[in-house]
Amino acid sequence: MRARLSDIAQQAEVSEATVSRVLNDRPGVAPETRQAVLTALDVLGYERPARLRKRSAGLVGLVVPELDNPIFPAFAQIIESALAPTGYTPVLCTQTPGGVREDEYVEMLLDRQVSGIVFVSGLHADTAADHDRYRTLLARPLPIVMINGYAPGIPAPFVSCDDRESAELAVAHLVALGHRRIGLITGPDRFVPVQRKVAGYKAAMGRLTDIAEDELADLTELSLFGVEGGEAAAGRLIERGVTGLVCGSDLMALGAIRAARQRRLSVPGDISVVGYDDSPLMAFTDPPLTTVRQPVAAMAVAAVRALVDEINGHPSPNSEYLFRPELVVRGSTAVAKPATPPSRQRPATPSSPTPSLPIPA
């Protein structure tokens, strides 16, 4: 330790006693002298003590899973706008298949000494993931907030749309239009929002239709998120005779519409389709998409407030805050076609004999 103090003191051109006071974060050292010692630490390759690692007051990490789905840029834009009045700027980290992983982004953000991190639909929503990574961040301590997804036992604020209610709203809308064979298309069941949508769908179908519970498994298709996953799942359900489809995202709903048209079926004439998110441009698709709207603005603002309060030492209660979805009815849903009755043979009735007609020679 004496050798290190000596090297640092020589580099900074101060006494070893001054170096010791700076390293122990004690008062009585001029700001320029303190900065000279810290610079000497950096030049010599010594790691600064944890108490001297000042976080950048202006940076907040924002980790999103992708930008292909329009709902995630919408979250990013509103979070950035909500952060601006507080003096913080988001560092956007976008994951792509085969690209940088969430943990690698977190390491990069820690190197930049961000003041906190917002995770949107991250590994906290995956029940198969190890959630100790978040406990490690909180132990630093580093304020974090999670959007859409819940992991029990993590002392942090969670902000979610009520996915169970969203599925119930969609089913109730289709039932009101006369549909009974209603299918559900959503993503892999290891994700918390998917589990909640499935639970809401089953509850609404059991309450509002006469479909037996054991039949619901045949009306549920778990697929990959995205247009292609929605198209593949919808094709299978259409073959099973569904007349209405509840989809786990707007992109999956667009895939379902494509599957219907490939089979020369009309949307909404033959098949009604409900999406989820109400992401930008869904009002301008063909047909305009009926969907369940996530209250993105309210959720994003709540997440920013919770994070900034955490940073400023006024933590919010560590619980999940559920926001209510809203059904937005457009042109992709319509009254179900009446079932075609089986052809009936008319009973024979007595009639006068038909006069024979002369056959020309």
Side-chain angles (χ1 to χ4, degrees), residues 187-221:
D189 63 357
R190 71 177 190 271
F191 295 108
V192 172
V194 170
Q195 295 173 358
R196 291 175 172 178
K197 284 186 177 73
V198 171
Y201 163 78
K202 289 181 177 179
M205 290 291 287
R207 187 173 67 252
L208 301 174
T209 74
D210 55 1
I211 302 292
E213 185 175 354
D214 56 353
E215 291 184 66
L216 295 181
D218 287 335
L219 297 179
T220 302
E221 280 289 335

Side-chain angles (χ1 to χ4, degrees), residues 5 18 30 71 73 91 100 129 147 173 175 185 195 246-247 301 304 347:
L5 287 177
T18 299
I71 199 65
V91 179
V100 181
I147 295 178
H173 171 62
V175 169
I185 298 171
Q195 295 173 358
V246 175
C247 301
V301 169
V304 167

Side-chain angles (χ1 to χ4, degrees), residues 258-282:
R258 187 160 73 181
R261 286 178 173 168
Q262 286 177 345
R263 289 160 176 79
R264 301 185 182 278
L265 297 174
S266 165
V267 177
D270 299 304
I271 301 285
S272 286
V273 178
V274 181
Y276 174 76
D277 281 336
D278 193 28
S279 45
L281 303 181
M282 289 305 110

Side-chain angles (χ1 to χ4, degrees), residues 253-254 257-258 261 267-268 281-290 331-332:
L254 295 182
I257 292 173
R258 187 160 73 181
R261 286 178 173 168
V267 177
L281 303 181
M282 289 305 110
F284 307 101
T285 58
D286 179 25
L289 186 67
T290 295
S332 65

Side-chain angles (χ1 to χ4, degrees), residues 63-144:
V63 182
V64 298
E66 57 170 306
L67 292 180
D68 291 338
N69 188 332
I71 199 65
F72 297 124
F75 268 114
Q77 182 177 11
I78 296 173
I79 288 172
E80 180 179 13
S81 299
L83 280 170
T86 69
Y88 290 95
T89 302
V91 179
L92 181 61
C93 301
T94 305
Q95 301 175 69
T96 55
V100 181
R101 297 178 294 109
E102 180 178 306
D103 291 339
E104 294 170 330
Y105 272 130
V106 168
E107 288 300 320
M108 294 166 56
L109 293 171
L110 294 177
D111 288 341
R112 299 192 68 171
Q113 300 176 2
V114 295
S115 298
I117 303 178
V118 178
F119 295 92
V120 181
S121 299
L123 291 173
H124 64 279
D126 189 344
T127 58
D130 182 3
H131 296 145
D132 283 342
R133 51 174 50 90
Y134 301 114
R135 297 183 184 92
T136 300
L137 290 176
L138 291 167
R140 291 183 69 92
L142 182 75
I144 61 176

